Amino acid sequence: MLLYLSKRLLLMVPLLLGITLISFVVIHLAPGEPTDMQTQLNPEVGVELQQRLRAQYDLDQPLMVQYGKWLGRLVRFDFGDSFSQDRRPVTAKIAERLPITILINVLSIGLILLVAVPIGIVSAVRRNSHFDRLTTIFVFIGFATPSFWLALLLMDFLGVRYGLFPIVGLKSLGYDYLSWSGQILDVLHHLVLPVFVSAFGGLAGFSRYMRANMLEVIRQDYILTARAKGLTEKAVIWKHALRNALLPVITILGLSVPGLIGGSVIFETIFAIPGMGKLFYDGVMMRDYPLIMGILVIGAVLTLVGNLLADLGYALADPRIRHS
Amino acid sequence: MTFISDRFGLVWIFLGLCCLYLICGCDRMDENLAGQAEAGPPAAGDTLIIGSGADAVTLLPVLASDGTSSDINGLVYNGLVRYDKDLNIEADLAERWEISPDNLTITFHLRQGVRWHDGAPFTAEDVLYTYQLLIDPKTPTAYAERYRQVASAQVLDAHTFRVRYHKPLATALISWAFSVHPRHLLEGTEITKSPLASHPVGTGPYRFVAWKRGEKIVLEANPDYYEGPPYIHRVLYRVIPDASTMFLEMQSGGLDYMGLTPLQYAMQTDTPAFRRRFRKYRYPAFAYTYLGYNLRRPIFQDKRTRQALSFAIDKQEIIDGVLLGLGQVASGPYKPGSWVHNPEVAPYRYDPNRARTLLAEAGWQDSDGDGVLDRNGQSLSFTIVTNQGNDQRVKAGEIIQRRLSEVGVKVKLQVVEWAAFLKEFINPGNFDATILGWSGGIDPDVYNVWHSSKTGPGELNFIAFKNAEVDHLLEAGRRTYDQDERKLVYDRFQEILAEEQPYTFLYVPESLPVVAARFRGIEPAPAGIMHNFIQWYVPAEEHKYSR
């Protein structure tokens, strides 16, 4: 197992290097440069000034030289400074936005698991029951509802008309004057709508997925055997079937790790939450190369780690993998 | 099967509930609306919460080039001069100034007793330092150009500053409206790493308090401001990127000020409840949208063709359809009602028959009967390219496309992401026609946009307009300070543009701010509504925020 782990870890290095090289080249292929936002179609800026700004950002150098410099900094764990006018370190910008995005995503994944797994199991076990049909409808609605529309509807209905939940941001204006418990409650109050909206679509998908896996599993011979041996239905489902039905779910969870930082541009924009999704989107629109690369590298590392974790999770859940 | 009908039944119930809610929503905002007392006496206190679509980038004016940063810097910093409510130049940190008879030297006499927010005195050294900062090659600023024309700048004494120019420059005086930076905090530091970028120290009416990135920026009244402390105690910018969310937040009471979209202004705010809680304003923005023709293309070289296109486009229809009537027809590059606007130049009215005549005069006729005009085997068809992310331009393009097809002109519309749009089409001059807009300039100097020397790659005369008389006028216009003389120059310039029609000027949009009704002292003027912000107040009995 340890050998397997170290091999996997070693393999990640060239893989990561390849990912960064491809990313670097691809983002530079997109037309436009970071200085353009400041200088293009600006009557105050002449061509000479544009050239000078380009030189300040090293944009006048060959792509491979720029990549070499970037890689040199990366080895020292330095993601460089953002190309936007604030010129702040990329790590500082990411560190500012990361916690909130992770918090919302963890909460919404938690909510999804908490609700979707039992729904999936029950609707598989009681196939074609009223409950199963009802959840099917729920799933259709969940899939069909665009999250921005749901968000606006909830904001208008629960926020503006009935004033039950705050509409934007994560803290009230008077947050600083609240007691610590008040502050926690305030943030939780603000989190209700974003977490619900971000979980809603996933809820539908995940419960469907769980249902399909469970159906697959309970048709297997060993379940028949277990039942034939006289085990209670509860023991059959929750002990034998569930464990196997969960395997593919673990894979999906592993793959959703990079999503934890990618966040969602749409709900972050609508709820005015300063998270990673919005940061990345703005970075791309501004052609802020160091910022884009910083986020991509973290994303790549997390994807690789996520895959690794999923494989390890598999090995833990399935003795066949462990022993091979 | 019952399964199917059950499912659809529930979906219908859900949709029905949604519709019911949308149709007969009970207005919670009607509550808590005590009748507004007419303006009580000015009182200090309360907070103005402004909704902003984007966060500031940097609060160091020399590096900032985005709107939010500029708005905030405008409250924190002062320049030597500024525009007053009627857009005349008035004194700010300079108490008065003298311009030498040859128009080459300006001597500023600075206000005494002004202090930076950290208590240090403001002197002429700060002005000199700001100038040096602007022209320093190591400063990544977009504002250097005008200051590079300064021949010399010197401090005569602590409160006198003099600049000399190589040649007279009409925009020289107003260029000193640029925020003065504090020398004692910046000198000797690397400007891009300065802590002032996130914690500004200025001389302005508001002092910086806090910036939570992506969330909010807090300013508070400067009790030592040289014009007296502002009434509104605190200004809070809240970052809300989505326009619909911002509007909902405004309705729920979380914002006091935002800019409305035409749709929100015309359709969603015309309720008694909204009118009681908010005041809407509208005035022409310093911007216009145009259809520009690439004059390098043979089909656009005859001015009769361009005039015909302008006659064939119904601009009022675009304003009604795209801006819901909240704009006016543009006749040239200057805002209607401003001193430089030439009212004698009439906009091209919609006249398809005139367009057809002009096209025929220019030799265009439908010789092959395909419904599209042609000349010497070349058909009168072209592509309008515009940028993604600006719905108004795309819709205007669609309306233009239909109108031009009625006179036998075939138009394709192409919408491209901004950076690619500039890089692939505009900068290399690789387009037929484009819908774009210009904004910002209050001074009429448009040398960079219209002079024939500015047609190179990446320069602003990307339609390659070349006219010797216009060149001469633009040069003359930027070399004199005399407004009457400049008026004559720019009047003639507008006449030539109207005749030549290198652009079809489409519309001047309107700014549509909305402010909570408790704020008083707002005076709409040509400069907008923020020009007298330090005189805005909330009567004591209507204060909403105590701290």
Side-chain angles (χ1 to χ4, degrees):
Chain A
M1 190 75 180
L2 213 61
L3 186 73
Y4 170 73
L5 190 67
S6 48
K7 247 199 222 164
R8 286 286 304 264
L9 283 174
L10 265 181
L11 254 176
M12 277 164 67
V13 176
L15 203 57
L16 198 60
L17 213 62
I19 292 173
T20 61
L21 180 64
I22 293 171
S23 309
F24 200 86
V25 172
V26 168
I27 61 173
H28 280 78
L29 280 179
E33 285 184 346
T35 53
D36 291 355
M37 301 299 152
Q38 228 178 322
T39 60
Q40 298 284 295
L41 295 195
N42 181 346
E44 300 235 10
V45 175
V47 174
E48 180 217 350
L49 187 67
Q50 290 178 21
Q51 293 307 329
R52 222 177 57 213
L53 282 175
R54 289 192 76 229
Q56 283 192 350
Y57 289 101
D58 282 343
L59 294 170
D60 52 347
Q61 299 190 12
L63 197 56
M64 280 305 122
V65 175
Q66 292 183 43
Y67 178 68
K69 282 188 174 179
W70 178 82
L71 206 58
R73 280 198 305 269
L74 187 69
V75 175
R76 301 192 299 272
F77 293 102
D78 175 10
F79 285 116
D81 291 342
S82 157
F83 276 176
S84 77
Q85 287 121 283
D86 61 10
R87 303 297 289 269
R88 294 169 66 224
V90 167
T91 35
K93 285 188 138 182
I94 294 177
E96 224 166 60
R97 305 287 189 106
L98 200 53
I100 186 59
T101 300
I102 289 184
L103 175 66
I104 291 181
N105 280 287
V106 166
L107 284 177
S108 85
I109 288 184
L111 182 67
I112 289 172
L113 283 182
L114 214 66
V115 179
V117 170
I119 287 181
I121 295 169
V122 174
S123 51
V125 173
R126 301 193 195 154
R127 195 148 63 106
N128 292 337
S129 65
H130 283 301
F131 179 84
D132 186 27
R133 286 170 190 165
L134 208 70
T135 51
T136 307
I137 293 167
F138 170 74
V139 163
F140 270 93
I141 294 173
F143 272 136
T145 312
S147 56
F148 76 91
W149 187 74
L150 178 71
L152 287 176
L153 206 68
L154 291 175
M155 286 159 102
D156 193 9
F157 200 63
L158 300 178
V160 178
R161 277 165 209 264
Y162 292 106
L164 294 177
F165 295 105
I167 297 176
V168 295
L170 285 173
K171 291 169 189 171
S172 303
L173 293 176
Y175 177 83
D176 296 335
Y177 306 107
L178 296 171
S179 65
W180 65 269
S181 56
Q183 291 187 338
I184 293 175
L185 280 178
D186 185 55
V187 171
L188 288 178
H189 194 203
H190 278 80
L191 278 171
V192 173
L193 290 185
V195 169
F196 179 75
V197 168
S198 101
F200 191 69
L203 216 57
F206 241 90
S207 64
R208 258 325 58 179
Y209 198 67
M210 193 61 221
R211 179 181 182 271
N213 286 334
M214 200 66 188
L215 279 178
E216 181 78 27
V217 169
I218 54 179
R219 286 197 199 108
Q220 302 284 327
D221 291 346
Y222 67 86
I223 296 292
L224 272 180
T225 315
R227 281 192 179 131
K229 276 180 155 178
L231 281 179
T232 60
E233 188 63 15
K234 217 173 174 180
V236 172
I237 298 297
W238 295 101
K239 202 156 172 243
H240 296 273
L242 178 62
R243 197 158 165 171
N244 286 304
L246 273 177
L247 283 180
V249 176
I250 292 171
T251 318
I252 301 250
L253 271 185
L255 291 176
S256 59
V257 170
L260 288 182
I261 71 139
S264 159
V265 175
I266 295 176
F267 83 76
E268 282 176 12
T269 305
I270 290 183
F271 288 104
I273 293 169
M276 290 292 286
K278 187 81 174 61
L279 183 70
F280 188 56
Y281 177 79
D282 290 344
V284 170
M285 294 321 273
M286 301 285 289
R287 306 287 191 270
D288 188 346
Y289 302 144
L291 181 65
I292 302 174
M293 285 306 292
I295 297 175
L296 283 179
V297 167
I298 295 180
V301 170
L302 282 182
T303 311
L304 296 175
V305 171
N307 276 340
L308 188 66
L309 285 179
D311 288 353
L312 291 179
Y314 245 75
L316 287 178
D318 188 345
R320 285 171 303 177
I321 294 174
R322 199 160 48 213
H323 294 308
S324 67
Chain B
M1 286 282 289
T2 51
F3 170 63
I4 300 287
S5 57
D6 274 3
R7 195 178 72 199
F8 280 95
L10 269 178
V11 171
W12 281 117
I13 290 168
F14 176 75
L15 289 177
L17 282 175
C18 292
C19 293
L20 199 68
Y21 146 69
L22 287 173
I23 295 165
C24 64
C26 50
D27 267 333
R28 196 181 68 92
M29 54 184 164
D30 278 325
E31 296 164 17
N32 304 326
L33 281 170
Q36 294 262 344
E38 271 319 306
D46 213 355
T47 299
L48 176 81
I49 305 177
I50 298 178
S52 170
D55 196 8
V57 179
T58 167
L59 297 181
L60 204 56
V62 70
L63 302 181
S65 58
D66 61 296
T68 309
S69 304
S70 305
D71 288 349
I72 291 160
N73 289 335
L75 292 175
V76 174
Y77 288 92
N78 292 106
L80 296 186
V81 295
R82 65 184 172 202
Y83 282 114
D84 70 3
K85 67 187 171 87
D86 297 314
L87 301 172
N88 300 309
I89 299 176
E90 67 171 9
D92 195 0
L93 285 179
E95 213 163 25
R96 61 197 164 83
W97 57 87
E98 290 132 21
I99 298 171
S100 64
D102 61 1
N103 282 345
L104 287 176
T105 306
I106 312 176
T107 309
F108 292 100
H109 300 276
L110 308 183
R111 220 171 270 278
Q112 306 210 5
V114 175
R115 289 187 177 276
W116 292 97
H117 293 158
D118 66 352
F122 156 77
T123 70
E125 293 290 346
D126 295 311
V127 185
L128 180 67
Y129 172 75
T130 303
Y131 160 71
Q132 288 163 342
L133 189 63
L134 280 159
I135 58 161
D136 185 343
K138 289 202 290 292
T139 308
T141 179
Y143 305 105
E145 214 83 329
R146 274 199 271 182
Y147 305 93
R148 295 175 156 263
Q149 306 191 38
V150 171
S152 68
Q154 59 186 129
V155 170
L156 299 186
D157 63 50
H159 294 99
T160 317
F161 175 72
R162 176 176 288 168
V163 272
R164 193 168 168 77
Y165 288 82
H166 294 293
K167 284 188 276 185
L169 180 67
T171 53
L173 182 56
I174 196 60
S175 75
W176 295 99
F178 193 82
S179 307
V180 178
H181 291 55
R183 177 187 162 199
H184 67 287
L185 296 175
L186 288 167
E187 196 167 40
T189 63
E190 195 187 329
I191 193 74
T192 56
K193 302 271 182 212
S194 168
L196 262 64
S198 54
H199 196 290
V201 176
T203 53
Y206 283 87
R207 291 197 298 214
F208 173 84
V209 177
W211 181 3
K212 191 102 179 62
R213 286 180 199 267
E215 203 178 303
K216 64 178 180 184
I217 295 174
V218 187
L219 308 174
E220 70 178 20
N222 172 9
D224 302 323
Y225 188 50
Y226 80 84
E227 289 183 300
Y231 290 116
I232 305 295
H233 179 63
R234 200 175 264 258
V235 177
L236 198 144
Y237 279 79
R238 289 182 72 191
V239 183
I240 303 176
D242 184 74
S244 318
T245 309
M246 200 192 285
F247 187 59
L248 288 174
E249 181 65 5
M250 178 110 189
Q251 285 175 306
S252 78
L255 294 177
D256 298 316
Y257 180 109
M258 74 176 274
L260 295 176
T261 63
L263 185 74
Q264 288 165 345
Y265 188 98
M267 318 285 278
Q268 296 169 341
T269 53
D270 208 14
T271 62
F274 196 90
R275 274 198 297 271
R276 243 173 300 162
R277 297 176 66 204
F278 299 102
R279 301 270 178 273
K280 294 195 283 184
Y281 299 87
R282 56 180 280 194
Y283 46 85
F286 273 96
Y288 64 92
T289 297
Y290 61 86
L291 171 65
Y293 307 106
N294 186 350
L295 303 178
R296 301 174 190 93
R297 297 278 194 265
I299 55 169
F300 295 126
Q301 271 168 9
D302 188 330
K303 77 176 174 196
R304 286 171 300 187
T305 307
R306 305 192 298 266
Q307 289 170 341
L309 296 176
S310 292
F311 277 121
I313 295 169
D314 187 347
K315 289 151 203 145
Q316 191 58 45
E317 174 187 46
I318 296 175
I319 291 166
D320 292 342
V322 175
L323 302 177
L324 304 174
L326 297 163
Q328 50 185 308
V329 175
S331 61
Y334 300 123
K335 180 166 131 170
S338 62
W339 67 267
V340 70
H341 178 255
N342 182 351
E344 305 292 314
V345 173
Y348 279 59
R349 292 188 188 291
Y350 174 58
D351 188 345
N353 291 328
R354 184 93 183 270
R356 287 189 190 95
T357 316
L358 278 165
L359 286 170
E361 278 176 27
W364 296 104
Q365 49 189 316
D366 187 7
S367 57
D368 52 7
D370 65 349
V372 180
L373 300 176
D374 54 77
R375 185 176 67 186
N376 307 330
Q378 189 189 19
S379 66
L380 184 47
S381 65
F382 60 92
T383 303
I384 297 176
V385 57
T386 191
N387 66 297
Q388 198 182 46
N390 189 323
D391 252 8
Q392 294 178 354
R393 289 179 192 163
V394 178
K395 285 179 190 153
E398 286 163 358
I399 293 171
I400 289 170
Q401 194 176 27
R402 183 172 55 84
R403 282 296 176 200
L404 291 185
S405 75
E406 288 172 6
V407 295
V409 181
K410 193 175 164 194
V411 172
K412 271 194 282 188
L413 190 63
Q414 194 176 359
V415 184
V416 187
E417 189 266 344
W418 180 249
F421 167 73
L422 292 180
K423 176 111 176 165
E424 307 292 331
F425 296 93
I426 299 300
N427 288 342
N430 181 26
F431 63 98
D432 298 332
T434 180
I435 299 178
L436 266 178
W438 289 117
S439 67
I442 295 174
D443 188 90
D445 180 17
V446 283
Y447 183 92
N448 286 336
V449 178
W450 292 104
H451 197 272
S452 63
S453 66
K454 296 290 178 183
T455 55
E459 293 191 299
L460 299 185
N461 187 354
F462 45 75
I463 60 161
F465 176 72
K466 289 177 182 160
N467 182 300
E469 193 184 350
V470 164
D471 283 357
H472 174 73
L473 289 168
L474 291 175
E475 284 157 28
R478 61 173 9 195
R479 295 280 167 246
T480 173
Y481 280 78
D482 186 335
Q483 188 158 313
D484 295 336
E485 218 173 292
R486 291 187 90 196
K487 171 93 180 126
L488 289 176
V489 164
Y490 290 113
D491 275 356
R492 176 70 192 132
F493 165 62
Q494 289 166 78
E495 285 169 20
I496 299 172
L497 283 190
E499 172 69 19
E500 292 290 328
Q501 288 294 297
Y503 288 175
T504 293
F505 294 92
L506 297 174
Y507 58 79
V508 177
E510 282 182 349
S511 295
L512 305 167
V514 55
V515 189
R518 68 179 195 281
F519 291 90
R520 311 291 161 78
I522 302 173
E523 251 183 60
I529 58 169
M530 290 300 276
H531 64 90
N532 70 333
F533 179 59
I534 65 167
Q535 274 129 34
W536 290 20
Y537 67 93
V538 177
E541 64 277 14
E542 291 177 46
H543 279 188
K544 188 173 172 185
Y545 302 98
S546 56
R547 52 186 177 185

